């Protein structure tokens, strides 16, 4: 086994008096695809936000590529790693949100090149070449000069995926990327994600699409009330669940 690319050890996260994650420990191996499933409010999205350092933690440790995202002060409080370290770490991780979060006043091309130019320090020609390559990959090169408002929801989400990939991440996080889409647009986004999975990208996907979890994930993890209830290969998870909570959850959604 190689060293995990992501490691959570005893992670606790509270919002006021509400415990969102309770003593969570998990690992993700390089090139592994993980599907996080469970009812709303079970802590799935919080895991992604912690990895992006959009949320702090109250206990435990989080490592990405062997490096800590928080360190303990002498008084016992947890503080984020240095800003320089966090910036470097964020370059390793791309995230695609439910709502596409594209800049409405910028074209598709500008949306994809902006961070390449400002963060990766690429020149415009280089950034635009990369953007076109990625728009080809997600199947919408003809949309490069349009504005997000001129695109369908599925097309906007594919632009969001291209924008995240433009930063050349080692890990891709997806937070229910199809939940805001009309049913006929879901397949086009899932197809892009399946192609990405085949390319060997490390992926963590919060999803309600059980067919996608069965087909693409190496492991499926069920969360409920901030705890990891069960994890297994898709075949075992869906065909031979061990926990009563998993059996109940699957009976309600399948």
């Amino acid at each position: 086994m190689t060293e995990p690319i992501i490691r959570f050890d005893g992670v606790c996260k509270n919002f006021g008096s509400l415990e969102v994650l309770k003593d969570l420990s998990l690992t993700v191996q390089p090139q592994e695809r993980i599907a996080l499933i469970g009812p709303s409010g079970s802590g799935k999205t919080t895991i992604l936000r912690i990895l992006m350092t959009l949320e702090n933690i109250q206990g435990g440790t989080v490592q990405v590529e062997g490096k800590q995202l928080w360190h303990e002060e002498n008084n016992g409080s947890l503080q984020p790693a240095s800003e320089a370290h966090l910036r470097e770490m964020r370059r390793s991780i791309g995230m695609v949100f439910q709502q596409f979060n594209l800049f409405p006043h910028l074209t598709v091309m500008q949306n994809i090149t902006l961070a390449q130019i400002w963060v990766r320090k690429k020149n415009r020609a280089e950034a635009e070449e990369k953007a076109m390559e990625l728009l080809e990959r997600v199947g919408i090169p003809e949309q490069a000069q349009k504005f997000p408002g001129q695109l369908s929801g599925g097309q906007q989400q594919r632009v969001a995926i291209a924008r995240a990939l433009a930063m050349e991440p080692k890990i891709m996080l997806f937070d229910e990327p199809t939940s805001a889409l009309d049913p006929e647009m879901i397949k086009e986004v899932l197809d892009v994600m399946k192609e990405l999975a085949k390319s060997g990208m490390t992926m963590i996907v919060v999803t309600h699409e059980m067919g996608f979890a069965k087909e693409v994930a190496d492991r499926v993890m069920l969360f409920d009330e901030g705890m990891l209830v069960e994890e297994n290969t898709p075949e075992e998870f869906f065909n031979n669940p061990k926990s009563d909570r998993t059996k109940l959850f699957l009976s309600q959604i399948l």
Side-chain angles (χ1 to χ4, degrees):
M1 289 282 280
T2 56
E3 274 297 300
I5 193 168
I6 294 169
R7 182 188 291 276
F8 280 61
D9 279 317
V11 172
C12 300
K13 169 64 185 173
N14 305 330
F15 290 120
S17 61
L18 177 66
E19 283 187 290
V20 184
L21 293 178
K22 304 171 185 175
D23 195 26
L24 172 65
S25 296
L26 63 84
T27 59
V28 179
Q29 296 294 326
Q31 300 191 331
E32 196 173 19
R33 281 92 60 182
I34 305 293
L36 306 185
I37 66 172
S40 296
S42 56
K44 309 180 300 294
T45 293
T46 302
I47 291 168
L48 306 190
R49 291 179 62 83
I50 286 170
L51 283 168
M52 293 296 292
T53 63
L54 297 172
E55 301 287 354
N56 284 323
I57 60 175
Q58 277 71 53
T61 61
V62 181
Q63 293 181 11
V64 176
E65 296 189 287
K67 295 174 183 171
Q68 300 277 6
L69 298 194
W70 282 268
H71 62 269
E72 194 169 328
E73 298 279 274
N74 292 334
N75 63 6
S77 67
L78 287 170
Q79 296 299 322
S82 71
E83 189 55 41
H85 170 57
L86 291 180
R87 266 201 310 273
E88 188 59 37
M89 184 281 309
R90 287 184 194 119
R91 291 184 181 189
S92 298
I93 303 178
M95 184 159 174
V96 177
F97 298 84
Q98 292 179 42
Q99 302 296 341
F100 325 118
N101 290 6
L102 300 173
F103 294 112
H105 62 291
L106 300 180
T107 64
V108 165
M109 175 63 74
Q110 289 167 332
N111 265 281
I112 299 173
T113 57
L114 188 68
Q116 292 188 69
I117 293 167
W118 286 96
V119 179
R120 287 286 187 192
K121 306 300 182 189
K122 290 185 177 180
N123 65 49
R124 187 169 302 281
E126 206 180 359
E128 289 184 350
E129 183 181 349
K130 181 72 174 178
M132 281 309 300
E133 176 191 314
L134 289 167
L135 286 171
E136 291 275 2
R137 185 173 178 182
V138 301
I140 48 171
E142 72 286 352
Q143 308 297 344
Q145 300 309 323
K146 289 187 180 176
F147 290 91
Q150 297 173 289
L151 307 182
S152 70
Q155 289 171 332
Q156 289 186 62
Q157 194 59 293
R158 284 189 277 169
V159 172
I161 293 171
R163 181 178 61 178
L165 290 174
M167 300 303 285
E168 300 171 6
K170 297 176 184 175
I171 301 162
M172 282 285 284
L173 310 177
F174 294 87
D175 184 16
E176 297 186 28
T178 59
S179 65
L181 301 178
D182 293 333
E184 66 270 19
M185 295 174 186
I186 289 173
K187 182 180 181 299
E188 64 190 48
V189 173
L190 292 181
D191 284 346
V192 170
M193 293 171 63
K194 288 174 187 175
E195 186 272 328
L196 191 58
K198 286 177 188 167
S199 76
M201 176 69 73
T202 304
M203 297 169 64
I204 303 180
V205 184
V206 174
T207 185
H208 294 298
E209 301 290 337
M210 295 303 119
F212 176 83
K214 286 179 182 177
E215 182 181 346
V216 175
D218 297 305
R219 279 187 295 155
V220 180
M221 299 182 179
L222 174 68
F223 284 81
D224 189 31
E225 296 183 347
M227 292 186 288
L228 176 53
V229 175
E230 185 166 344
E231 62 172 303
N232 217 323
T233 63
E235 184 176 357
E236 280 295 303
F237 185 92
F238 289 105
N239 297 332
N240 189 25
K242 306 291 189 292
S243 153
D244 288 341
R245 181 67 186 94
T246 307
K247 292 171 186 173
L248 175 62
F249 180 77
L250 293 176
S251 74
Q252 291 170 332
I253 62 165
L254 294 179

